[in-house]
Amino acid sequence: MDDVTTSKGNLTLKTALQAGRIMIENGSEVSRVEDTINRIAQNAGFPNSKVYVTITGIMMSISDRGEAQIEPISTRTLDLEKIAQVNDLSRKFAAEAIDLEAFSDQLDYLEHHSAYFPVWVQALSAALVSGTLEVVFRANPPDFWITCIIGMVGWLVYFGINQLVKVRFLSEFLGSVAIGLLAILAVKYQFGHSMDDIIIGSVMPLVPGVPLTNAVRDILAGDLVSGIARGVEALMSAIAIGSGIAMMLQIL
Amino acid sequence: MLIIDLLFTYIATVAFGVLLNLPHRALNMAGLIGTLSFLAYKLLMMAHSGLVTANLVGAVLIGVLSMQAAKWLKMPVIIFNIPALVPFVPGGQAYQMVKNFALADNTVAFSFLFQVIEIAGAIAFGFLLAELFIRLQQKLLDWLASRRKASDRDIKRY
């Protein structure tokens, strides 16, 4: 095999695996990643590539070469914007608006530049999620404001601990401990009426929506390994939140 | 009260989208899908259809609408269906379950656990049904396209 084909093959492998890793890391479902990687390989001129995706690693080989490459995935965050951007880049590559080198460069750039909303906007959103859902679920408008405040504090605890230790279950546990404690105090000092309603609203920003939805989608798509792994992830989050609340209820 | 519920559902869906860092141009659409599905859920609950039916219909709507939005805006489906699912999370029941387990009232806790499982199952099955509708729609579109092509050929031939 001549050098040009080899180097193009290597770049294709690198780009496709990087695109796949970014998507899984930020919460994409497995079938979409498989689809994207296959498209990239096909558009790069390697139609017979084979890929095996799980949520902890991707294996890929391209046509007429006896070697495969492995890409481990160790971190998992939530950034749906990045998934949409990789999707856009892949579409552009398919339409030949960018070539493989540009695609690879833009993935490198994307990986190191995350455009999150500012923390105060996120905190405000957490407050709004808590307050509004408290009213929708429990029809208890007088507790709207206190739920907003407690939900925001709980989310800030979760966010702060997550920045420090990067263990999602631990930060969820401590966030819900803070929520339980504050809700009990708020009712004790007459800032709110119903402790139950305040807690139900305030834990909503911590709900593991992405693993939960993806678990169902993966299992339906036949990616059983990833589906079950994600189901366990969602279950662990739910247990962390639940035991944080349960602990505070038992202590006080 | 329904109006306030719908407005608040919209706000909650969009705000949850901000927490997941949705692309800006997808926020409004995700909010609308969430609100519309929640309206269907709410109306069914008012008609006493029961928890399972209401959640099932809500989940089917989320699945179908998200898929259309994804095709229209050329974005992945999960960008729309994850935020839209938030108002359907059985938070109240899950909390009552945890509380009653914590207070060692196991009988009540198990009854809430079964409610949570019921709702979660209904939503999962709703997604499955939505997938079925999408496949049927795709089949229909393919069939129409092939017919159009065939009739074009016929016109050329004569």
Side-chain angles (χ1 to χ4, degrees):
Chain A
M1 196 179 301
D2 58 307
D3 278 354
V4 181
T5 325
T6 311
S7 70
K8 195 183 177 203
N10 284 339
L11 189 60
T12 307
L13 271 175
K14 177 192 166 274
T15 312
L17 285 172
Q18 193 179 12
R21 180 163 52 77
I22 293 176
M23 288 175 86
I24 295 265
E25 271 176 359
N26 292 296
S28 176
E29 75 267 45
V30 167
S31 56
R32 166 168 296 279
V33 176
E34 256 169 30
D35 188 52
T36 306
I37 289 183
N38 279 329
R39 270 166 211 264
I40 292 173
Q42 202 161 15
N43 293 324
F46 298 97
N48 297 322
S49 61
K50 292 185 180 59
V51 60
Y52 175 65
V53 182
T54 70
I55 62 168
T56 49
I58 306 174
M59 280 158 248
M60 181 185 182
S61 70
I62 56 177
S63 52
D64 56 42
R65 280 157 54 106
E67 52 198 53
Q69 288 207 4
I70 299 173
E71 183 88 17
I73 299 163
S74 49
T75 55
R76 247 177 299 285
T77 52
L78 295 176
D79 185 349
L80 298 189
E81 163 110 53
K82 272 189 186 164
I83 300 176
Q85 284 186 357
V86 174
N87 197 44
D88 276 352
L89 285 175
S90 166
R91 275 173 195 278
K92 275 187 198 156
F93 181 58
E96 297 182 351
I98 53 174
D99 60 4
L100 199 57
E101 283 80 16
F103 193 175
S104 174
D105 291 345
Q106 292 200 27
L107 281 179
D108 282 337
Y109 179 82
L110 184 64
E111 193 164 6
H112 300 293
H113 294 79
S114 48
Y116 278 107
F117 287 92
V119 175
W120 69 269
V121 176
Q122 292 191 46
L124 196 69
S125 303
L128 283 175
V129 171
S130 312
T132 52
L133 285 177
E134 185 267 323
V135 176
V136 172
F137 286 167
R138 311 300 291 181
N140 179 7
D143 282 346
F144 176 77
W145 293 111
I146 186 71
T147 310
C148 279
I149 294 168
I150 293 178
M152 186 169 79
V153 175
W155 184 83
L156 281 173
V157 170
Y158 160 76
F159 183 79
I161 307 265
N162 213 13
Q163 298 294 76
L164 279 180
V165 291
K166 301 269 180 210
V167 184
R168 190 152 174 235
F169 306 128
L170 193 63
S171 15
E172 276 163 346
F173 175 73
L174 292 173
S176 64
V177 166
I179 288 167
L181 181 68
L182 286 174
I184 289 164
L185 289 179
V187 174
K188 197 174 177 189
Y189 292 104
Q190 314 266 309
F191 289 113
H193 302 96
S194 163
M195 182 186 74
D196 294 353
D197 294 357
I198 295 174
I199 293 180
I200 290 170
S202 304
V203 296
M204 285 310 289
L206 306 183
V207 163
V210 175
L212 211 61
T213 316
N214 277 334
V216 174
R217 287 189 63 88
D218 279 351
I219 287 180
L220 290 185
D223 296 309
L224 299 178
V225 175
S226 303
I228 289 168
R230 278 213 230 260
V232 172
E233 197 185 356
L235 193 67
M236 283 292 291
S237 293
I239 290 173
I241 296 170
S243 50
I245 297 289
M247 198 177 89
M248 291 326 284
L249 286 173
Q250 274 183 339
I251 288 175
L252 297 159
Chain B
M1 201 58 217
L2 185 63
I3 307 277
I4 293 182
D5 271 3
L6 289 180
L7 181 70
F8 275 22
T9 309
Y10 178 81
I11 297 174
T13 315
V14 170
F16 200 79
V18 171
L19 290 182
L20 298 176
N21 201 23
L22 249 62
H24 298 207
R25 65 200 172 98
L27 281 173
N28 184 39
M29 184 54 81
L32 287 179
I33 292 172
T35 315
L36 209 60
S37 328
F38 190 72
L39 175 66
Y41 164 84
K42 205 71 188 172
L43 290 178
L44 281 170
M45 286 301 277
M46 280 174 179
H48 302 289
S49 72
L51 266 177
V52 172
T53 320
N55 277 293
L56 186 83
V57 172
V60 170
L61 264 181
I62 290 178
V64 172
L65 292 176
S66 306
M67 217 75 85
Q68 310 301 334
K71 270 188 195 152
W72 187 42
L73 293 175
K74 295 194 169 39
M75 284 182 183
V77 183
I78 50 167
I79 284 183
F80 304 103
N81 67 12
I82 293 175
L85 202 62
V86 166
F88 289 87
V89 171
Q93 288 89 339
Y95 168 76
Q96 293 293 350
M97 177 188 92
V98 168
K99 183 182 175 185
N100 285 297
F101 272 128
L103 303 178
D105 201 343
N106 286 347
T107 330
V108 185
F110 272 114
S111 87
F112 278 111
L113 171 65
F114 290 130
Q115 262 191 48
V116 172
I117 294 174
E118 239 172 68
I119 295 173
I123 291 174
F125 197 70
F127 271 18
L128 185 67
L129 281 180
E131 205 90 11
L132 178 75
F133 282 130
I134 298 298
R135 300 247 161 107
L136 285 179
Q137 182 198 359
Q138 195 58 44
K139 279 255 152 64
L140 190 69
L141 287 177
D142 288 352
W143 182 71
L144 285 177
S146 70
R147 277 205 29 152
R148 203 173 302 134
K149 230 179 247 167
S151 68
D152 282 354
R153 258 205 317 275
D154 290 349
I155 291 164
K156 266 179 206 154
R157 198 180 297 156
Y158 295 113

